[in-house]
C-alpha cells in the first residue's frame, strides 16, 4: 500500500500531528503499555521509531494524530503515569512544517560569475527595460509575470475560521502558493490587503496588478466577493478568479459528473438541492446550470430562494431566484429534500439529518462540503441510503486551481471563462478511477493535462 496517498488526518478526523519522544525502560511488555496508554486517549499511532539505545532504556519517537489539544494532553498524562516511562519532548509537526513559512523566492538562473551578475542586473538589465518601454507586450516573455499569480485576500472568510484578519490568514495563502509551485510551476505571491472597504481593495489590486499574470482572490467574504471579482475582471486584462467560488464549483461538478454516471442519471432530468447561497453556493449553482442541470433549488438559512421572496434577499439572491427553482418551491428544508436526486451543502455543520437523506430519491448523491465539518457525517449519510457521498475533505479546490491558472497563463488568456472551468471539470472526471470521484491530486501529470485542456479551450474560444 502506498501510504503517501492516504490522508491519515482525514481517516482519523484528526488534524493535529505530534511526535512524542519517550524514554522507555527496556523490559518485555513495556512498549505495549505505552501503546495502550495512547489508545486509551483515543489517539491513533502512525509510526514508532527507535532513535537511541542505552543499557537500560530505549528512546522512541512516536508519531500520533490528535483531534485537539485536550486529546494530546490526555495522551501525555497517560504515558507519564506509567512506571519506567518518561516523555522527553513533544513536537507539533504542523508548527514545524510552517516554521519560516512553506515558500521562498529562488533564482531561476545561476549566478556563477560577475558576467552573469551584470547580465541579470546592471548594466545588462537596462536593455530589457528599454525593450519593455518601447513595447509593453514584451514584458510577458521577458519577465516572470508569465508564471506569476497574486493570491489576494483581506482575511474576512478564511477556511472554517471566518473573519480572522489578514495576518492570521497568511499561512493559508502561503500554503496555496506552495501548491501552485509544486503542481503547476507557478510563482504565487500572497498579497494581504488590510481593508474591508471594497473600493480600497479593488483600487489596491488594480494598482499592483502589473507584477502578475493572473489574480486569485481568496477567502473574501460574500457578498462583497461578487462585486470585487466582477469589477476587477472588468478593469484588468489578466485572469481574475475567486477560488472559493469557481475552484469549489469546478471540483464539485467534476465529482458530480462521475456520480451521475455511476447512478445512471442524466443532467437534464436530475434534481438538485443546494444548501448555502454564499460564494461557493452561487458558483456551484451557475456551473451546474451551464452543465445542463435544469431543476436546482437553493436554500439559505431562511429557506428556499424563489421568485417573489422578499425576506433577507439581495441582488445576488434575486438573480438566483430568476435562474433556479423552476417550480417556485417554498417548502421547508426538511420537506425540500423529499424526492431530490442530489444534495450539495456549502453552509454550516450538522444542518442535515439522516431523515432528510432517507426522504430523497432512490440512490441519492450527497455532497456535504462544509469545512471542516460537513452538513451531515459521511457514514451517517451512507447509512441513511445515500449511494455516493463525498465531503469537503474529498472535494478539494487544490485539484482544480493549479491547472486552471497554469492553462490560463500558458494561453496568455485574459480571463478564466465558464468553458475553461468546464474543461477542467471534464478532465478531472475523466481521470478519476472508481470508486473515487476525483483523481489523485498528487499526480502532477494530471494538473498538466488540466492545464493543456484549459489552454486549448481558451484558444478555441478566441477563434469563434
Amino acid at each position: 500500500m502506498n501510504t503517501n496517498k492516504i490522508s491519515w488526518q482525514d481517516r482519523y478526523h484528526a488534524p493535529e500531528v505530534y511526535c512524542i519522544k519517550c524514554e522507555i525502560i527496556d523490559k518485555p511488555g513495556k512498549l505495549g503499555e505505552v501503546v495502550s496508554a495512547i489508545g486509551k486517549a483515543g489517539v491513533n499511532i502512525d509510526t514508532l521509531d527507535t532513535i537511541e539505545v542505552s543499557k537500560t532504556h530505549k528512546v522512541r519517537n512516536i508519531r500520533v494524530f490528535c483531534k485537539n489539544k485536550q486529546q494530546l494532553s490526555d495522551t501525555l498524562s497517560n504515558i507519564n503515569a506509567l512506571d519506567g516511562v518518561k516523555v522527553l519532548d513533544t513536537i507539533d509537526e504542523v508548527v514545524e512544517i510552517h516554521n519560516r513559512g512553506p515558500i521562498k523566492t529562488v533564482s531561476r538562473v545561476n549566478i556563477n560569475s560577475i558576467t552573469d551578475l551584470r547580465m541579470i542586473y546592471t548594466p545588462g538589465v537596462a536593455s530589457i527595460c528599454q525593450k519593455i518601454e518601447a513595447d509593453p507586450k514584451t514584458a510577458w516573455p521577458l519577465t516572470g509575470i508569465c508564471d506569476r499569480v497574486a493570491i489576494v485576500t483581506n482575511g474576512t472568510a478564511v477556511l472554517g475560521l471566518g473573519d480572522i484578519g489578514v495576518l492570521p490568514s497568511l499561512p493559508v495563502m502561503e500554503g496555496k502558493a506552495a501548491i501552485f509551485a509544486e503542481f503547476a510551476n507557478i510563482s504565487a505571491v500572497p498579497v494581504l490587503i488590510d481593508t474591508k472597504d471594497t473600493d480600497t481593495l479593488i483600487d489596491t489590486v488594480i494598482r499592483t496588478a502589473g507584477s502578475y499574470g493572473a489574480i486569485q482572490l481568496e477567502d473574501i467574504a460574500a457578498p462583497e466577493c461578487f462585486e470585487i471579482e466582477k469589477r476587477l475582471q472588468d478593469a484588468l486584462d489578466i485572469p481574475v478568479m475567486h477560488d472559493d467560488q469557481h475552484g469549489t464549483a469546478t471540483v464539485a461538478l467534476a465529482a458530480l459528473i462521475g456520480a451521475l454516471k455511476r447512478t445512471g442519471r442524466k443532467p437534464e432530468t436530475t434534481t438538485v438541492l443546494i444548501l448555502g447561497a454564499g460564494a461557493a453556493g452561487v458558483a456551484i449553482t451557475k456551473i451546474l446550470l451551464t452543465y445542463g442541470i435544469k431543476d436546482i433549488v437553493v436554500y439559505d438559512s431562511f429557506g428556499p430562494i424563489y421568485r417573489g421572496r422578499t425576506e433577507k434577499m439581495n441582488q445576488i439572491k434575486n438573480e438566483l431566484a430568476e435562474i433556479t427553482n423552476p417550480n417556485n418551491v417554498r417548502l421547508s428544508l426538511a420537506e425540500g429534500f423529499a424526492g431530490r436526486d442530489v444534495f450539495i451543502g456549502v453552509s454550516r455543520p450538522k444542518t442535515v439529518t439522516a431523515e432528510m437523506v432517507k426522504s430523497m430519491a432512490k440512490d441519492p448523491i450527497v455532497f456535504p462540503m462544509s469545512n471542516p465539518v460537513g452538513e451531515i457525517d459521511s457514514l451517517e449519510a451512507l447509512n441513511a441510503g445515500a449511494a455516493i457521498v463525498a465531503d469537503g475533505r474529498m472535494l478539494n479546490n487544490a485539484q482544480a486551481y493549479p491547472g486552471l491558472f497554469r492553462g490560463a497563463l500558458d494561453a496568455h488568456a485574459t480571463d478564466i471563462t465558464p468553458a475553461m472551468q468546464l474543461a477542467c471539470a471534464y478532465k478531472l472526471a475523466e481521470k478519476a478511477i472508481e470508486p473515487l470521484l476525483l483523481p489523485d491530486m498528487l499526480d502532477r501529470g494530471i494538473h498538466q493535462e488540466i492545464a493543456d485542456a484549459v489552454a486549448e479551450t481558451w484558444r478555441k474560444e478566441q477563434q469563434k
Side-chain angles (χ1 to χ4, degrees):
M1 179 184 294
N2 185 354
T3 56
N4 288 328
K5 294 185 178 181
I6 296 173
S7 171
W8 298 115
Q9 292 97 328
D10 288 352
R11 175 180 286 190
Y12 303 141
H13 298 285
E16 300 184 10
V17 188
Y18 298 96
C19 178
I20 302 174
K21 185 177 181 180
C22 294
E23 183 183 64
I24 306 170
I25 192 167
D26 194 12
K27 291 183 177 180
K30 188 55 67 172
L31 177 60
E33 290 181 24
V34 175
V35 171
S36 295
I38 294 171
K40 286 178 181 178
V43 169
N44 291 95
I45 295 175
D46 179 22
T47 56
L48 195 156
D49 300 314
T50 301
I51 60 169
E52 188 179 323
V53 179
S54 69
K55 290 183 179 180
T56 57
H57 290 76
K58 288 181 179 178
V59 177
R60 298 182 185 268
N61 279 342
I62 306 173
R63 193 175 194 231
V64 298
F65 291 87
C66 297
K67 292 180 171 60
N68 48 51
K69 296 290 188 297
Q70 183 58 53
Q71 204 173 48
L72 172 67
S73 178
D74 293 343
T75 300
L76 297 178
S77 295
N78 290 353
I79 294 173
N80 282 322
L82 299 173
D83 291 333
V85 180
K86 182 180 179 182
V87 174
L88 301 178
D89 195 11
T90 304
I91 298 171
D92 185 330
E93 294 197 3
V94 176
V95 171
E96 283 295 302
I97 206 169
H98 281 273
N99 272 340
R100 303 184 70 86
I103 58 172
K104 66 178 181 178
T105 300
V106 297
S107 176
R108 191 181 60 80
V109 295
N110 295 322
I111 303 175
N112 297 318
S113 68
I114 202 70
T115 300
D116 294 337
L117 178 63
R118 289 177 176 171
M119 286 194 292
I120 290 169
Y121 194 49
T122 188
V125 74
S127 66
I128 306 303
C129 297
Q130 291 167 339
K131 286 179 184 291
I132 297 171
E133 182 184 24
D135 181 5
K137 290 182 180 179
T138 60
W140 189 265
L142 292 177
T143 71
I145 62 175
C146 58
D147 288 315
R148 191 178 300 133
V149 171
I151 306 174
V152 174
T153 190
N154 64 356
T156 53
V158 180
L159 294 173
L161 303 174
D163 183 359
I164 62 173
V166 288
L167 192 59
S169 77
L170 181 57
V172 179
M173 308 310 133
E174 290 186 334
K176 294 183 78 76
I179 290 168
F180 267 124
E182 279 290 307
F183 299 112
N185 195 29
I186 288 173
S187 297
V189 181
V191 179
L192 308 182
I193 303 179
D194 192 5
T195 182
K196 293 183 180 179
D197 180 73
T198 296
D199 290 336
T200 301
L201 190 150
I202 291 170
D203 184 63
T204 302
V205 175
I206 290 173
R207 290 176 183 275
T208 57
S211 298
Y212 308 102
I215 307 290
Q216 183 187 55
L217 302 176
E218 180 69 21
D219 293 348
I220 299 173
E224 291 81 8
C225 63
F226 301 112
E227 179 185 355
I228 290 167
E229 182 187 53
K230 179 65 168 62
R231 287 174 58 184
L232 287 174
Q233 287 172 340
D234 291 343
L236 299 174
D237 60 356
I238 60 175
V240 177
M241 190 188 90
H242 185 204
D243 187 48
D244 299 310
Q245 291 185 60
H246 308 298
T248 302
T250 301
V251 170
L253 174 59
L256 187 59
I257 290 170
L260 293 179
K261 182 178 179 181
R262 294 176 200 180
T263 56
R265 291 181 167 95
K266 296 181 179 180
E268 59 271 18
T269 56
T270 295
T271 59
V272 178
L273 187 154
I274 295 176
L275 179 56
V282 171
I284 291 171
T285 299
K286 290 182 176 180
I287 202 171
L288 295 191
L289 289 168
T290 302
Y291 175 62
I293 294 177
K294 302 180 185 303
D295 188 347
I296 304 173
V297 179
V298 181
Y299 280 73
D300 63 10
S301 56
F302 297 92
I305 293 172
Y306 58 86
R307 293 176 300 284
R309 183 179 132 173
T310 57
E311 183 185 16
K312 301 296 181 179
M313 295 291 281
N314 55 37
Q315 181 182 344
I316 299 299
K317 292 179 183 179
N318 285 330
E319 291 173 2
L320 276 184
E322 294 300 321
I323 60 176
T324 63
N325 201 350
N327 299 314
N328 228 31
V329 168
R330 304 189 185 195
L331 301 171
S332 69
L333 180 62
E335 294 170 326
F337 266 82
R340 290 270 147 183
D341 297 308
V342 178
F343 164 69
I344 299 175
V346 278
S347 58
R348 300 186 309 279
K350 305 297 182 182
T351 48
V352 173
T353 66
E355 287 68 29
M356 294 177 185
V357 175
K358 289 177 182 177
S359 74
M360 296 176 72
K362 186 177 184 296
D363 295 329
I365 298 164
V366 177
F367 290 174
M369 294 174 61
S370 171
N371 265 321
V373 179
E375 285 78 6
I376 183 171
D377 179 75
S378 296
L379 182 58
E380 186 179 3
L382 287 169
N383 290 337
I388 296 176
V389 179
D391 61 20
R393 294 185 299 273
M394 302 173 193
L395 308 181
N396 192 318
N397 292 11
Q399 291 165 307
Y401 69 76
L404 272 171
F405 276 91
R406 181 71 268 169
L409 291 171
D410 288 347
H412 203 166
T414 58
D415 194 8
I416 294 177
T417 66
M420 294 160 78
Q421 294 168 41
L422 282 176
C424 176
Y426 284 131
K427 183 60 67 173
L428 282 168
E430 173 194 326
K431 292 297 178 178
I433 300 174
E434 290 196 45
L436 301 178
L437 295 173
L438 295 170
D440 178 8
M441 74 159 290
L442 298 180
D443 187 335
R444 286 153 175 78
I446 289 174
H447 292 282
Q448 187 57 55
E449 287 191 51
I450 291 170
D452 293 342
V454 167
E456 181 61 23
T457 299
W458 170 261
R459 295 185 185 106
K460 287 181 178 177
E461 286 188 289
Q462 301 317 295
Q463 293 171 0
K464 293 179 181 178

